[in-house]
Amino acid sequence: MKSLFNTEAHEEIIARIHQLSESSERQWGKMKVGQMLHHCQFPLKISLKRHKSDGNANFMLKLVGKFFKKSLYNDKPWRQGLPTAKGLKVVEDKDFTKEKDILLGLVNDFHNEKDKKEWDPHPVFGSFTPEQWGQMQYKHLDHHLRQFNV
């Protein structure tokens, strides 16, 4: 499984983000490319402790999270059209260039944490090993970059 902590996977993701343009068309789903770039920032901000969460994920979300957790860091790609958690949906238009720059910065910041040994638990999914954090971030970005055919 690829990990965003791996230099080659990190460089791959950066190159794929650079392949996007304002006119990139989605292959599935509802988000426009700027919205997707904004959406992809959430998991990175959570891991880097830059996302304000109320910390009270409801019981049902945590229950679903227990069943979904292993899919976050295995080799099987996520299917197209998976539902997005309500708090992570992006419905308003977003500035492509601004969101791209922010996402690139977060991807680099996350990669630079590759030697970090202790990570706070995820607010929904609980504890991950450092390896699982890197795999999860790669997989989420890969899913949405495939959504926009890059």
Side-chain angles (χ1 to χ4, degrees):
M1 175 75 207
K2 291 184 180 181
S3 167
L4 201 53
F5 289 142
N6 175 274
T7 300
E8 292 80 21
H10 169 252
E11 290 172 355
E12 170 204 323
I13 290 293
I14 295 293
R16 289 169 67 190
I17 292 170
H18 280 297
Q19 290 178 33
L20 293 167
S21 71
E22 288 186 69
S23 62
S24 294
E25 291 289 329
R26 63 184 176 258
Q27 307 300 301
W28 71 84
K30 297 178 182 177
M31 288 188 287
K32 297 175 187 172
V33 67
Q35 293 169 319
M36 177 274 289
L37 291 167
H38 184 80
H39 166 81
C40 285
Q41 296 169 24
F42 289 121
L44 292 159
K45 287 179 178 179
I46 288 169
S47 66
L48 294 167
K49 298 188 221 175
R50 297 182 193 170
H51 178 72
K52 298 208 188 289
S53 170
D54 64 10
N56 294 322
N58 69 37
F59 174 76
M60 201 57 157
L61 187 57
K62 285 188 177 187
L63 184 62
V64 169
K66 285 183 184 250
F67 292 104
F68 188 67
K69 184 176 179 177
K70 287 184 182 178
S71 77
L72 295 174
Y73 50 83
N74 66 23
D75 284 324
K76 184 177 178 186
W78 292 333
R79 67 177 172 83
Q80 298 175 359
L82 283 173
T84 302
K86 185 178 178 182
L88 302 180
K89 287 185 179 183
V90 180
V91 293
E92 65 279 349
D93 285 338
K94 294 291 181 181
D95 178 81
F96 171 81
T97 302
K98 176 184 172 189
E99 300 303 332
K100 180 179 171 183
D101 289 345
I102 292 169
L103 181 59
L104 287 166
L106 289 166
V107 168
N108 287 328
D109 290 349
F110 182 83
H111 175 73
N112 289 336
E113 296 288 330
K114 63 184 169 284
D115 296 324
K116 184 176 174 178
K117 302 295 181 210
E118 297 293 321
W119 290 82
D120 288 346
H122 189 280
V124 172
F125 301 111
S127 295
F128 290 107
T129 66
E131 180 181 18
Q132 291 167 338
W133 272 109
Q135 292 167 337
M136 173 183 65
Q137 298 294 358
Y138 176 88
K139 189 167 185 175
H140 184 248
L141 290 165
D142 175 66
H143 174 74
H144 286 292
L145 292 170
R146 285 187 298 106
Q147 180 183 14
F148 283 84
N149 206 31
V150 295

Short mmCIF file of all heavy atoms in Angstrom, two decimals, residues 83-116:
data_model
loop_
_atom_site.label_atom_id
_atom_site.label_comp_id
_atom_site.label_asym_id
_atom_site.label_seq_id
_atom_site.Cartn_x
_atom_site.Cartn_y
_atom_site.Cartn_z
N PRO A 83 -20.72 8.00 -0.37
CA PRO A 83 -21.27 9.21 0.24
C PRO A 83 -20.22 9.92 1.09
O PRO A 83 -19.33 9.29 1.66
CB PRO A 83 -22.42 8.69 1.11
CG PRO A 83 -22.11 7.25 1.34
CD PRO A 83 -21.32 6.78 0.16
N THR A 84 -20.32 11.23 1.14
CA THR A 84 -19.41 12.06 1.93
C THR A 84 -20.10 12.43 3.23
O THR A 84 -21.27 12.78 3.24
CB THR A 84 -19.05 13.34 1.14
OG1 THR A 84 -18.45 12.95 -0.09
CG2 THR A 84 -18.10 14.22 1.91
N ALA A 85 -19.35 12.35 4.33
CA ALA A 85 -19.89 12.76 5.63
C ALA A 85 -20.38 14.20 5.55
O ALA A 85 -19.73 15.05 4.92
CB ALA A 85 -18.83 12.61 6.71
N LYS A 86 -21.48 14.49 6.19
CA LYS A 86 -22.13 15.79 6.10
C LYS A 86 -21.17 16.95 6.38
O LYS A 86 -21.14 17.93 5.66
CB LYS A 86 -23.32 15.85 7.06
CG LYS A 86 -24.13 17.11 6.97
CD LYS A 86 -25.32 17.09 7.91
CE LYS A 86 -26.08 18.39 7.82
NZ LYS A 86 -27.22 18.42 8.74
N GLY A 87 -20.38 16.84 7.41
CA GLY A 87 -19.46 17.91 7.79
C GLY A 87 -18.30 18.12 6.85
O GLY A 87 -17.57 19.10 6.95
N LEU A 88 -18.10 17.18 5.90
CA LEU A 88 -16.98 17.28 4.97
C LEU A 88 -17.43 17.60 3.54
O LEU A 88 -16.61 17.65 2.64
CB LEU A 88 -16.17 15.98 4.99
CG LEU A 88 -15.61 15.57 6.35
CD1 LEU A 88 -14.84 14.26 6.24
CD2 LEU A 88 -14.74 16.66 6.94
N LYS A 89 -18.73 17.80 3.36
CA LYS A 89 -19.24 18.17 2.05
C LYS A 89 -18.90 19.62 1.76
O LYS A 89 -18.94 20.47 2.65
CB LYS A 89 -20.76 17.99 1.99
CG LYS A 89 -21.18 16.54 1.93
CD LYS A 89 -22.67 16.40 1.75
CE LYS A 89 -23.03 14.93 1.69
NZ LYS A 89 -24.47 14.74 1.45
N VAL A 90 -18.58 19.89 0.51
CA VAL A 90 -18.29 21.25 0.07
C VAL A 90 -19.31 21.60 -1.00
O VAL A 90 -19.30 21.01 -2.08
CB VAL A 90 -16.85 21.37 -0.49
CG1 VAL A 90 -16.56 22.79 -0.93
CG2 VAL A 90 -15.83 20.89 0.54
N VAL A 91 -20.20 22.50 -0.69
CA VAL A 91 -21.28 22.83 -1.63
C VAL A 91 -21.09 24.19 -2.30
O VAL A 91 -21.60 24.43 -3.38
CB VAL A 91 -22.67 22.75 -0.95
CG1 VAL A 91 -22.99 21.32 -0.56
CG2 VAL A 91 -22.74 23.65 0.25
N GLU A 92 -20.35 25.07 -1.65
CA GLU A 92 -20.13 26.39 -2.25
C GLU A 92 -18.94 26.33 -3.21
O GLU A 92 -18.03 25.50 -3.04
CB GLU A 92 -19.90 27.47 -1.17
CG GLU A 92 -18.66 27.29 -0.33
CD GLU A 92 -18.78 26.28 0.82
OE1 GLU A 92 -19.90 25.83 1.13
OE2 GLU A 92 -17.73 25.94 1.38
N ASP A 93 -18.96 27.17 -4.23
CA ASP A 93 -17.85 27.22 -5.18
C ASP A 93 -16.57 27.65 -4.48
O ASP A 93 -16.61 28.42 -3.52
CB ASP A 93 -18.15 28.18 -6.33
CG ASP A 93 -19.15 27.61 -7.33
OD1 ASP A 93 -19.29 26.37 -7.38
OD2 ASP A 93 -19.78 28.40 -8.06
N LYS A 94 -15.46 27.14 -4.95
CA LYS A 94 -14.16 27.46 -4.36
C LYS A 94 -13.21 27.93 -5.46
O LYS A 94 -13.29 27.48 -6.61
CB LYS A 94 -13.56 26.23 -3.67
CG LYS A 94 -14.35 25.77 -2.45
CD LYS A 94 -14.21 26.77 -1.35
CE LYS A 94 -14.95 26.37 -0.10
NZ LYS A 94 -14.82 27.36 0.96
N ASP A 95 -12.29 28.80 -5.09
CA ASP A 95 -11.28 29.31 -6.01
C ASP A 95 -10.24 28.22 -6.26
O ASP A 95 -9.55 27.79 -5.33
CB ASP A 95 -10.62 30.56 -5.43
CG ASP A 95 -9.54 31.10 -6.33
OD1 ASP A 95 -9.88 31.81 -7.29
OD2 ASP A 95 -8.35 30.79 -6.09
N PHE A 96 -10.14 27.78 -7.51
CA PHE A 96 -9.26 26.66 -7.87
C PHE A 96 -7.81 26.91 -7.44
O PHE A 96 -7.20 26.07 -6.77
CB PHE A 96 -9.33 26.41 -9.38
CG PHE A 96 -8.30 25.43 -9.86
CD1 PHE A 96 -8.50 24.06 -9.74
CD2 PHE A 96 -7.12 25.87 -10.44
CE1 PHE A 96 -7.55 23.16 -10.17
CE2 PHE A 96 -6.16 24.98 -10.87
CZ PHE A 96 -6.37 23.61 -10.74
N THR A 97 -7.25 28.04 -7.82
CA THR A 97 -5.83 28.30 -7.56
C THR A 97 -5.54 28.36 -6.06
O THR A 97 -4.57 27.76 -5.58
CB THR A 97 -5.39 29.61 -8.24
OG1 THR A 97 -5.64 29.49 -9.65
CG2 THR A 97 -3.91 29.89 -8.02
N LYS A 98 -6.38 29.04 -5.33
CA LYS A 98 -6.20 29.14 -3.87
C LYS A 98 -6.28 27.77 -3.22
O LYS A 98 -5.41 27.40 -2.40
CB LYS A 98 -7.27 30.06 -3.29
CG LYS A 98 -7.23 30.17 -1.77
CD LYS A 98 -8.37 31.02 -1.26
CE LYS A 98 -8.43 30.95 0.25
NZ LYS A 98 -9.63 31.59 0.78
N GLU A 99 -7.28 26.98 -3.58
CA GLU A 99 -7.46 25.66 -2.96
C GLU A 99 -6.33 24.71 -3.35
O GLU A 99 -5.87 23.90 -2.53
CB GLU A 99 -8.82 25.07 -3.33
CG GLU A 99 -10.00 25.90 -2.89
CD GLU A 99 -10.06 26.19 -1.40
OE1 GLU A 99 -9.55 25.39 -0.59
OE2 GLU A 99 -10.63 27.23 -1.02
N LYS A 100 -5.86 24.81 -4.58
CA LYS A 100 -4.75 23.98 -5.03
C LYS A 100 -3.49 24.30 -4.22
O LYS A 100 -2.79 23.40 -3.75
CB LYS A 100 -4.51 24.19 -6.52
CG LYS A 100 -3.37 23.37 -7.10
CD LYS A 100 -3.24 23.65 -8.60
CE LYS A 100 -2.00 23.02 -9.18
NZ LYS A 100 -1.83 23.36 -10.61
N ASP A 101 -3.20 25.58 -4.06
CA ASP A 101 -2.02 25.99 -3.29
C ASP A 101 -2.10 25.53 -1.84
O ASP A 101 -1.10 25.05 -1.28
CB ASP A 101 -1.84 27.51 -3.34
CG ASP A 101 -1.40 28.02 -4.72
OD1 ASP A 101 -0.95 27.20 -5.55
OD2 ASP A 101 -1.53 29.23 -4.96
N ILE A 102 -3.27 25.66 -1.23
CA ILE A 102 -3.43 25.22 0.16
C ILE A 102 -3.23 23.71 0.25
O ILE A 102 -2.52 23.22 1.14
CB ILE A 102 -4.81 25.64 0.72
CG1 ILE A 102 -4.89 27.16 0.86
CG2 ILE A 102 -5.08 24.95 2.06
CD1 ILE A 102 -6.30 27.68 1.14
N LEU A 103 -3.85 22.96 -0.67
CA LEU A 103 -3.71 21.51 -0.63
C LEU A 103 -2.26 21.08 -0.82
O LEU A 103 -1.77 20.20 -0.10
CB LEU A 103 -4.61 20.84 -1.68
CG LEU A 103 -4.55 19.31 -1.69
CD1 LEU A 103 -4.98 18.71 -0.35
CD2 LEU A 103 -5.42 18.76 -2.83
N LEU A 104 -1.57 21.68 -1.77
CA LEU A 104 -0.16 21.34 -1.98
C LEU A 104 0.66 21.58 -0.71
O LEU A 104 1.50 20.77 -0.34
CB LEU A 104 0.42 22.13 -3.16
CG LEU A 104 -0.04 21.69 -4.54
CD1 LEU A 104 0.31 22.75 -5.58
CD2 LEU A 104 0.53 20.33 -4.91
N GLY A 105 0.39 22.69 -0.04
CA GLY A 105 1.09 22.98 1.21
C GLY A 105 0.81 21.94 2.28
O GLY A 105 1.72 21.49 2.98
N LEU A 106 -0.45 21.53 2.40
CA LEU A 106 -0.81 20.52 3.40
C LEU A 106 -0.20 19.16 3.08
O LEU A 106 0.26 18.45 3.98
CB LEU A 106 -2.34 20.40 3.50
CG LEU A 106 -3.05 21.57 4.15
CD1 LEU A 106 -4.55 21.50 3.89
CD2 LEU A 106 -2.76 21.62 5.65
N VAL A 107 -0.19 18.79 1.80
CA VAL A 107 0.43 17.52 1.40
C VAL A 107 1.91 17.53 1.78
O VAL A 107 2.43 16.55 2.34
CB VAL A 107 0.23 17.26 -0.11
CG1 VAL A 107 1.10 16.11 -0.59
CG2 VAL A 107 -1.24 16.97 -0.42
N ASN A 108 2.58 18.63 1.51
CA ASN A 108 4.00 18.74 1.87
C ASN A 108 4.19 18.74 3.38
O ASN A 108 5.10 18.07 3.89
CB ASN A 108 4.61 19.99 1.25
CG ASN A 108 4.80 19.85 -0.24
OD1 ASN A 108 5.06 18.76 -0.75
ND2 ASN A 108 4.66 20.95 -0.96
N ASP A 109 3.36 19.47 4.10
CA ASP A 109 3.47 19.50 5.56
C ASP A 109 3.26 18.11 6.15
O ASP A 109 3.98 17.70 7.07
CB ASP A 109 2.46 20.48 6.17
CG ASP A 109 2.79 21.93 5.87
OD1 ASP A 109 3.91 22.23 5.38
OD2 ASP A 109 1.92 22.78 6.15
N PHE A 110 2.27 17.39 5.64
CA PHE A 110 2.01 16.04 6.14
C PHE A 110 3.21 15.13 5.85
O PHE A 110 3.68 14.41 6.73
CB PHE A 110 0.73 15.46 5.53
CG PHE A 110 0.41 14.09 6.04
CD1 PHE A 110 -0.26 13.94 7.25
CD2 PHE A 110 0.79 12.95 5.36
CE1 PHE A 110 -0.55 12.67 7.76
CE2 PHE A 110 0.51 11.69 5.84
CZ PHE A 110 -0.16 11.55 7.05
N HIS A 111 3.71 15.18 4.63
CA HIS A 111 4.87 14.35 4.26
C HIS A 111 6.07 14.65 5.17
O HIS A 111 6.81 13.73 5.55
CB HIS A 111 5.25 14.58 2.80
CG HIS A 111 6.49 13.86 2.39
ND1 HIS A 111 6.53 12.50 2.20
CD2 HIS A 111 7.74 14.31 2.16
CE1 HIS A 111 7.76 12.14 1.86
NE2 HIS A 111 8.52 13.23 1.83
N ASN A 112 6.24 15.89 5.55
CA ASN A 112 7.36 16.28 6.40
C ASN A 112 7.24 15.72 7.82
O ASN A 112 8.21 15.78 8.58
CB ASN A 112 7.51 17.80 6.43
CG ASN A 112 8.04 18.33 5.12
OD1 ASN A 112 8.69 17.63 4.36
ND2 ASN A 112 7.72 19.58 4.82
N GLU A 113 6.09 15.17 8.17
CA GLU A 113 5.88 14.54 9.48
C GLU A 113 6.19 13.04 9.43
O GLU A 113 5.86 12.30 10.35
CB GLU A 113 4.43 14.75 9.95
CG GLU A 113 4.08 16.20 10.19
CD GLU A 113 4.72 16.76 11.43
OE1 GLU A 113 4.96 16.00 12.40
OE2 GLU A 113 5.00 17.98 11.45
N LYS A 114 6.85 12.58 8.37
CA LYS A 114 7.08 11.14 8.15
C LYS A 114 7.82 10.45 9.28
O LYS A 114 7.70 9.24 9.45
CB LYS A 114 7.77 10.92 6.81
CG LYS A 114 9.15 11.53 6.69
CD LYS A 114 9.70 11.34 5.29
CE LYS A 114 10.94 12.13 5.05
NZ LYS A 114 10.70 13.55 4.84
N ASP A 115 8.58 11.16 10.07
CA ASP A 115 9.32 10.53 11.17
C ASP A 115 8.60 10.63 12.51
O ASP A 115 9.11 10.14 13.52
CB ASP A 115 10.71 11.17 11.28
CG ASP A 115 11.55 10.90 10.03
OD1 ASP A 115 11.43 9.80 9.45
OD2 ASP A 115 12.30 11.81 9.62
N LYS A 116 7.44 11.22 12.52
CA LYS A 116 6.66 11.37 13.75
C LYS A 116 6.17 9.99 14.21
O LYS A 116 5.65 9.22 13.42
CB LYS A 116 5.48 12.30 13.50
CG LYS A 116 4.65 12.61 14.70
CD LYS A 116 3.56 13.63 14.33
CE LYS A 116 2.63 13.87 15.48
NZ LYS A 116 1.61 14.87 15.14
#
